[in-house]
Amino acid sequence: MDIILAALLMLWGDVSEGYPDITAEQLAAASVRLQQSASAEGGEPAGVPGSDAGENTAVSGKTDPAPDTPVIRGVYATAHSAGGSRLNELVELLNETELNALVIDIKDDWGYVTYESELPIVDELGTGKKIIDMDKLMPVLEENDIYPIARIVVFKDTVLAKGKPEWSFTRADGTVWKNGRGESFVNPYLKEVWDYNVEVAKEAVRLGFKEIQFDYVRFPEGFEKRADELVYERTEDARTKVIADFVAYAREQLNPLGARVSVDIFGYAASVPAAEGIGQDFVEISRHVDVISPMVYPSHYSTGWFGSKVPDAEPYVTISGAMKDTREKLLPLEQSGEKPIIRPWIQDFTATWVKGHIKYGKHEVEEQIRALTDNGIDEFLLWNASNKYTKGVDYVKDE
């Protein structure tokens, strides 16, 4: 026991410098996890930009930083919903159903940090926009036994790109590049961008969030068509390696705090080869996360997918096909013990823009859940941009 205590005290001196807010309890838990996984993972650090870690680095085995977490079934909440009156409706929904989690925008789709952050860099960059009062929100979630997931939009960051053009992609005339929706991205090759997002994630964990969900972990859509005409710092590393390395780095930083790391990814990424253009390799990203959340909304699949003329109109067929592809894609990780929890995003909205779409309600949501259950998937998240979810849904089809 004295030897273990001495080792912990030595470790405490090193860790507390890099993690000033880590507690002794978190350190002890991390040390147990480290001991369990050291032989399997070899103690190798995650990659940084320009390193050899990441895309081709095999890690044998994976240790869950929060093994006592229940099966998670949740819904998405914007910062305005979580910080406003709609929170009461969402809490009521979770209390009355089998749902138990909220995914909350902590760094939103424009790049705003949505609470009063104490991080100097947020103040320096002017990226804060207080929408949520954490002193009010977190006790409500705790009192109602709601599992809090912090959604952090990573590389789509219009606010940061405007404030730090050198961290973004610029045109030859020096202006920041924007996509057709007026959104800008920041450069995944830059360690400064990595650290900024990880620091926000660490603060979210200190506030009480049990899981960090990274979204837009990619380059802009169609980037391969403009990669050589835009101005930005880069290395010789493939975009897929850069993205996988970021995820590995983030997990290395957050797991010792007891937080799971999850990543949202295009659902079709499980059905096709790696998306080199945007840097998303389904398997390599999955290798470095605790939870993978493919966005398998039926409305996002075009004619012909899974043999369906209108995938949106066949929710069971679409979700079942997507899950079969997902499980097959992740088979190598299952064999190596690196397979993450599969927790898909499913659809609770009507896609009026899709030709041949159907109205989504109780039956359509339940059909998606039935397809998940039939494929051995018991965790999921529901997306509705306005956070208005269908009433009366049976969220557990096998019970």
Side-chain angles (χ1 to χ4, degrees):
M1 179 62 71
D2 290 341
I3 295 174
I4 295 174
L5 180 59
L8 279 171
L9 288 173
M10 289 173 66
L11 183 61
W12 175 258
D14 292 335
V15 171
S16 59
E17 253 186 69
Y19 300 93
D21 296 286
I22 193 170
T23 65
E25 290 78 12
Q26 288 173 322
L27 176 67
S31 70
V32 172
R33 290 194 298 273
L34 182 63
Q35 184 178 13
Q36 291 172 339
S37 62
S39 60
E41 299 194 1
E44 292 295 331
V48 295
S51 78
D52 292 328
E55 187 175 55
N56 298 312
T57 302
V59 190
S60 179
K62 181 180 288 184
T63 303
D64 189 343
D68 296 330
T69 303
V71 170
I72 297 301
R73 304 180 179 98
V75 298
Y76 165 64
T78 65
H80 288 285
S81 289
S85 60
R86 182 155 293 169
L87 177 64
N88 295 330
E89 297 175 29
L90 294 172
V91 169
E92 184 178 351
L93 172 67
L94 270 63
N95 283 340
E96 293 178 351
T97 66
E98 301 91 343
L99 299 174
N100 61 357
L102 274 182
V103 181
I104 299 169
D105 279 342
I106 295 306
K107 180 169 173 275
D108 68 17
D109 285 70
W110 291 100
Y112 287 112
V113 176
T114 62
Y115 58 93
E116 191 169 2
S117 173
E118 295 183 358
L119 296 174
I121 191 169
V122 171
D123 183 57
E124 174 192 333
L125 296 172
T127 52
K129 186 177 183 180
K130 185 180 177 182
I131 302 170
I132 301 172
D133 185 336
M134 288 296 178
D135 289 336
K136 293 182 179 179
L137 172 64
M138 299 312 291
V140 170
L141 301 183
E142 185 174 358
E143 289 164 12
N144 289 277
D145 199 22
I146 294 172
Y147 182 78
I149 302 173
R151 176 177 180 256
I152 293 178
V153 176
V154 184
F155 298 120
K156 186 178 79 167
D157 195 328
T158 306
V159 176
L160 185 58
K162 183 179 179 180
K164 282 279 196 181
E166 65 272 26
W167 288 5
S168 185
F169 305 102
T170 58
R171 298 184 179 89
D173 63 3
T175 60
V176 174
W177 173 85
K178 296 180 181 180
N179 63 19
R181 294 181 294 275
E183 303 162 334
S184 296
F185 279 63
V186 286
N187 185 359
Y189 279 99
L190 295 182
K191 179 70 161 37
E192 294 89 341
V193 173
W194 290 18
D195 284 334
Y196 170 63
N197 283 278
V198 169
E199 285 307 308
V200 173
K202 287 180 181 178
E203 186 171 52
V205 174
R206 293 195 291 270
L207 289 168
F209 285 88
K210 298 181 184 298
E211 181 174 319
I212 302 299
Q213 182 187 94
F214 291 116
D215 201 358
Y216 286 86
V217 187
R218 60 177 176 82
F219 288 77
E221 290 178 76
F223 189 76
E224 65 278 9
K225 299 175 184 177
R226 57 182 64 91
D228 294 329
E229 65 186 52
L230 294 176
V231 179
Y232 58 100
E233 288 188 43
R234 70 184 99 177
T235 67
E236 294 300 316
D237 289 338
R239 289 187 285 274
T240 50
K241 181 181 185 331
V242 172
I243 295 300
D245 281 354
F246 163 73
V247 175
Y249 175 75
R251 183 168 178 260
E252 181 190 63
Q253 295 290 305
L254 294 165
N255 273 185
L257 302 181
R260 282 178 169 179
V261 168
S262 58
V263 164
D264 296 337
I265 191 168
F266 284 130
Y268 67 75
S271 305
V272 299
E276 302 285 346
I278 61 173
Q280 284 195 337
D281 183 315
F282 195 95
V283 173
E284 291 307 319
I285 289 175
S286 297
R287 188 188 305 278
H288 297 294
V289 296
D290 304 297
V291 180
I292 191 72
S293 290
M295 299 174 285
V296 292
Y297 315 119
S299 61
H300 283 33
Y301 291 88
S302 56
T303 298
W305 276 97
F306 312 117
S308 177
K309 183 178 180 181
V310 183
D312 181 74
E314 297 189 66
Y316 180 90
V317 171
T318 305
I319 296 296
S320 184
M323 288 303 98
K324 285 181 172 64
D325 284 356
T326 297
R327 295 185 66 179
E328 183 177 350
K329 194 82 163 183
L330 295 181
L331 186 58
L333 299 190
E334 185 172 2
Q335 294 169 340
S336 66
E338 300 167 279
K339 181 181 174 183
I341 294 166
I342 301 171
R343 187 195 299 150
W345 278 103
I346 60 175
Q347 179 171 330
D348 193 358
F349 59 86
T350 298
T352 55
W353 60 90
V354 173
K355 186 177 181 180
H357 74 274
I358 61 173
K359 181 176 175 56
Y360 270 60
K362 180 178 185 295
H363 175 71
E364 290 71 26
V365 172
E366 289 182 349
E367 280 294 274
Q368 294 174 87
I369 296 170
R370 184 169 71 88
L372 294 177
T373 302
D374 288 352
N375 283 277
I377 307 298
D378 55 5
E379 300 202 3
F380 58 83
L381 301 168
L382 289 163
W383 180 274
N384 181 295
S386 64
N387 306 161
K388 296 177 181 177
Y389 297 97
T390 302
K391 303 290 185 182
V393 172
D394 179 2
Y395 292 108
V396 184
K397 298 304 294 180
D398 60 342
E399 294 181 9

